[in-house]
Amino acid sequence: MSETVMPAAQPEGPVLEVSDLTVTFPGLHGGATVTAVDRASFVIGRGETLGLVGQSGSGKTTTGRAVLQLQKVTSGSVRLLGRELVGMGRKPLREMRRHMQFVQQNPYSSLHPRLTIGRILSEPLEVHRTVSRARIRERIVELLELVNMDPKVVDRYPHEFSGGQRQRIVIARALAVNPDFVVCDEAVSALDVRTQAQIVTLLQGLQERLGLSYLFVAHDLAIVREMAHRVAVMYSGQIVELGPSAAVYDSPGHAYTRLLLDSIPVPDPAIQRLRLRNPLPDVRFVDSNPGPCAHAEDHATTGTAPMHMIGPDHCVSCRFQPQPR
Amino acid sequence: MSAGTPLLSVRDLTARIATHHEIVEAVRGVSFDVAPGEAVGFVGESGCGKSVTARAIMRLAAEGTDVRLDGKILFKGRDLLTLSDREMGKMRGRQIAMVFQDPMTSLNPVMTVGAQIDDVLRRHTDLYGRAVRARSIELLDAVGVPDPARRADDHPHQFSGGQRQRILIAIAIACDPDLLIADEPTTALDVTVQAQILRLLMRLREERGMSLLLITHDFGVVAGMVEKVNVMYRGEIVETGDVDTLLSKPQHEYTKSLLAAVPRIRVAGAIS
């Protein structure tokens, strides 16, 4: 790895800085515009994992794609290694792609079925020219060893591997260009629980060795707890809670976070029986009306973000308070 | 109840699945009982044979596969494997019903949900005329679909994933089956919706005195729902026991490794 070009040195600032990221989609059949991501702001430091959780349709995948500039950003800013990606020209953006990579959910469809593992791994190396042609073979061996796979597999095809092995190959491909930042979108969701645990361990080990920063998008809160240093909870396109994982999981500040945590089935019969006996709170989370919020602040007039600190580095939105149905 | 005859008694069940070029023994020598009103869970990873076992009881094969079943599946003392297709057809839906994982593809997209429940009722019960739709609406109400009389005229795409799963459950319980088989009924759903569906299954089971066979990969899902658990690995039951003992003191190495891999989440102290 010594030969590869180091990123434009930015040792002090965060690796990723997202502020007021908004993505809207045109409505169906001329209907109202849909705001998939609504003024999301967060930072990710070097070697840090930010977990992004929320139910399907909450905007977490769109956030990941918008950060990677795979989705058109409506407004807001995404700075990677100090450089603004929103509105960046094609060529410079292509160069920046070397620093940011994507690992997606389905290891069955994200590998080309007709290419050998060797071809799959050499492609990013050729595109981004991070190593000389002569060194490509050597680098592929390095990459496979990095994800704990036997380098002898280079001439085999994706279908010869299990889901977990395929996901290792996808990770190796993402790491080929020595990225600083990887978006993992439901990267372990399709895998069995024991395989999940192995991939989580692998991702953590790689983070430690390579100083990677992750945006770890998942609906499974337990996996995110394992992976993330800090976690953001999304609801209806907005981040409703953001803080250190321990704080968010152990003393959640937002009612929606609490509902999510209380809904996870735990492998303890006594607790689960008790939970199933209790009816779920019949509430809806409605975006609050204009006017003073629960913290007596009128964000519409002050122009401040509807976030309130409730602990060190731990903030909660005053929007989407539960209301009885 | 335990002293009586089991509702379902599976003995030495073997399922061989013919694929393009080989025959796979997906289930090998599986035996278990389900007592009347009892809930039994099957837990294992993908490919362990838990779904094949569940489908075997219904004598259904996954699409595009050819399954050969051996052994005995005694339901109320009758071996389902010896029934004619016609007899088995009567059994399905009426006495044994099944809910599958994917609520998106299990419903007919071009029929209203009311018509789909009507269809089951006409086929399997003596109801006719207006009584059919009235019963369908009752069923939608029982599974918690709001405004059921109006929603019966809607099509599947007009419902959310959770609501669709409720509709499938309504279809499954339409004829008051004695045994409900639920194969990963909440896997495709969000965690808050999963919590609702599990509560619904629990309530229906108690109200109707149904037996439940719950297939899942998630120990958390079986924990509060069943009395007995079978852990499957590579086509065989490797451990069986009551849910409290099995989860607190697993014996088999495989069960231990599965439980160890479940990421632990601190349980919020205050569950009101």
Side-chain angles (χ1 to χ4, degrees):
Chain A
M1 250 162 277
S2 46
E3 202 178 301
T4 51
V5 191
M6 289 309 284
Q10 203 82 29
E12 301 305 325
V15 169
L16 184 78
E17 243 181 309
V18 173
S19 42
D20 288 327
L21 179 69
T22 300
V23 178
T24 59
F25 292 111
L28 277 179
H29 316 298
T33 324
V34 178
T35 305
V37 182
D38 192 358
R39 288 159 291 157
S41 302
F42 51 87
V43 293
I44 305 179
R46 183 162 300 280
E48 188 187 43
T49 302
L50 176 71
L52 185 56
V53 299
Q55 62 194 36
S56 46
S58 61
K60 53 192 195 303
T61 290
T62 307
T63 302
R65 293 177 51 86
V67 166
L68 293 170
Q69 306 300 307
L70 297 172
Q71 168 63 51
K72 198 175 166 350
V73 173
T74 308
S75 64
S77 140
V78 177
R79 297 174 76 85
L80 181 70
L81 303 167
R83 297 187 60 189
E84 179 61 57
L85 300 183
V86 179
M88 190 180 249
R90 273 183 68 139
K91 249 190 107 183
L93 183 60
R94 189 163 187 175
E95 267 160 42
M96 285 307 281
R97 292 209 179 279
R98 189 162 71 68
H99 302 292
M100 51 182 187
Q101 289 290 311
F102 199 15
V103 174
Q104 293 188 71
Q105 171 168 4
N106 193 336
Y108 293 88
S109 60
S110 48
L111 293 172
H112 195 297
R114 305 289 289 276
L115 297 183
T116 62
I117 305 309
R119 279 291 304 144
I120 287 170
L121 293 178
S122 65
E123 206 163 41
L125 297 172
E126 284 161 20
V127 169
H128 289 286
R129 299 199 192 101
T130 46
V131 296
S132 63
R133 274 201 174 271
R135 256 211 79 214
I136 285 184
R137 201 82 188 167
E138 199 182 320
R139 176 70 178 143
I140 290 171
V141 171
E142 240 173 57
L143 286 167
L144 286 168
E145 280 170 351
L146 203 57
V147 296
N148 305 326
M149 283 190 73
D150 188 340
K152 277 185 244 153
V153 304
V154 286
D155 295 320
R156 291 167 61 185
Y157 289 89
H159 74 262
E160 299 176 58
F161 297 94
S162 67
Q165 288 171 317
R166 277 182 231 216
Q167 201 59 306
R168 285 176 195 275
I169 296 163
V170 171
I171 293 168
R173 178 179 60 186
L175 297 180
V177 294
N178 257 339
D180 298 270
F181 168 66
V182 182
V183 174
C184 303
D185 188 358
E186 302 283 7
V188 298
S189 307
L191 306 173
D192 277 320
V193 60
R194 292 188 309 160
T195 317
Q196 267 185 354
Q198 288 163 9
I199 299 291
V200 163
T201 310
L202 173 69
L203 287 170
Q204 287 170 330
L206 291 169
Q207 176 166 58
E208 219 162 89
R209 281 170 66 182
L210 308 174
L212 292 170
S213 305
Y214 295 131
L215 177 64
F216 193 85
V217 179
H219 70 281
D220 184 335
L221 286 101
I223 287 282
V224 171
R225 167 122 222 207
E226 297 262 304
M227 273 300 294
H229 302 101
R230 288 187 306 130
V231 64
V233 182
M234 253 186 142
Y235 184 78
S236 190
Q238 294 188 25
I239 292 178
V240 295
E241 181 155 3
L242 176 64
S245 297
V248 173
Y249 281 81
D250 295 343
S251 39
H254 199 281
Y256 177 68
T257 313
R258 277 197 293 275
L259 176 67
L260 269 187
L261 289 169
D262 283 351
S263 303
I264 304 168
V266 289
D268 182 323
I271 294 171
Q272 271 302 112
R273 271 183 216 121
L274 198 67
R275 284 186 169 185
L276 294 173
R277 292 266 158 252
N278 286 316
L280 284 165
D282 197 17
V283 294
R284 288 189 306 162
F285 296 90
V286 188
D287 198 358
S288 1
N289 306 315
C293 73
H295 299 257
E297 200 181 328
D298 190 347
H299 299 284
T301 0
T302 59
T304 49
M307 294 296 269
H308 302 269
M309 296 293 280
I310 59 163
D313 199 27
H314 184 184
C315 54
V316 168
S317 165
C318 53
R319 315 285 286 273
F320 298 108
Q321 292 304 314
Q323 282 165 23
R325 258 179 229 274
Chain B
M1 193 183 300
S2 54
T5 41
L7 177 73
L8 177 75
S9 183
V10 173
R11 286 292 166 271
D12 212 15
L13 178 72
T14 294
R16 290 183 188 85
I17 301 181
T19 65
H20 303 298
H21 45 260
E22 58 179 345
I23 292 175
V24 182
E25 229 172 39
V27 175
R28 260 193 314 273
V30 161
S31 301
F32 64 95
D33 289 339
V34 181
E38 186 182 43
V40 174
F42 270 83
V43 182
E45 292 175 296
S46 46
C48 72
K50 57 189 193 300
S51 287
V52 178
T53 304
R55 284 166 188 267
I57 298 162
M58 292 286 274
R59 280 199 12 212
L60 295 172
E63 208 174 313
T65 59
D66 182 9
V67 182
R68 210 193 127 169
L69 300 171
D70 288 299
K72 280 193 167 68
I73 301 177
L74 300 168
F75 184 77
K76 295 182 177 174
R78 286 177 81 189
D79 188 353
L80 299 183
L81 294 183
T82 63
L83 297 186
S84 68
D85 285 351
R86 201 188 148 87
E87 287 171 314
M88 190 62 213
K90 282 187 184 170
M91 199 64 100
R92 264 185 228 127
R94 224 176 278 190
Q95 305 208 35
I96 310 174
M98 191 157 175
V99 179
F100 297 93
Q101 172 174 350
D102 195 349
M104 308 296 164
T105 53
S106 305
L107 288 164
N108 184 338
V110 297
M111 273 171 88
T112 66
V113 300
Q116 296 185 54
I117 309 176
D118 294 350
D119 200 34
V120 175
L121 291 169
R122 283 205 196 89
R123 194 173 311 171
H124 291 298
T125 67
D126 301 332
L127 295 175
Y128 64 94
R130 288 193 177 175
V132 173
R133 180 47 65 96
R135 177 87 180 112
S136 294
I137 292 168
E138 261 174 48
L139 285 162
L140 286 174
D141 189 42
V143 297
V145 172
D147 199 1
R150 195 177 56 80
R151 301 287 336 243
D153 292 326
D154 283 343
H155 288 82
H157 75 268
Q158 292 166 288
F159 293 86
S160 67
Q163 299 286 7
R164 273 183 263 211
Q165 195 58 292
R166 286 176 193 273
I167 293 161
L168 283 176
I169 293 171
I171 292 173
I173 62 167
C175 310
D176 261 315
D178 298 303
L179 174 65
L180 179 66
I181 303 173
D183 187 3
E184 301 274 12
T186 59
T187 305
L189 305 174
D190 279 319
V191 62
T192 52
V193 182
Q194 165 170 276
Q196 293 164 4
I197 297 293
L198 291 181
R199 277 167 174 79
L200 171 65
L201 284 172
M202 185 88 160
R203 176 168 66 75
L204 292 173
R205 188 199 141 200
E206 282 176 0
E207 283 172 6
R208 291 158 186 261
M210 273 186 315
S211 297
L212 176 70
L213 199 63
L214 181 62
I215 319 290
T216 174
H217 65 283
D218 188 343
F219 274 114
V221 167
V222 286
M225 296 285 294
V226 304
E227 285 97 53
K228 272 196 309 207
V229 187
N230 296 299
V231 179
M232 277 191 87
Y233 181 59
R234 296 190 171 193
E236 292 175 25
I237 294 178
V238 293
E239 183 162 358
T240 181
D242 76 87
V243 66
D244 295 82
T245 319
L246 192 135
L247 288 182
S248 58
K249 296 184 197 73
Q251 298 299 314
H252 196 280
E253 284 310 313
Y254 177 70
T255 314
K256 287 181 196 168
S257 76
L258 261 190
L259 274 166
V262 175
R264 291 292 151 155
I265 198 148
R266 202 194 70 98
V267 176
I271 308 158
S272 50

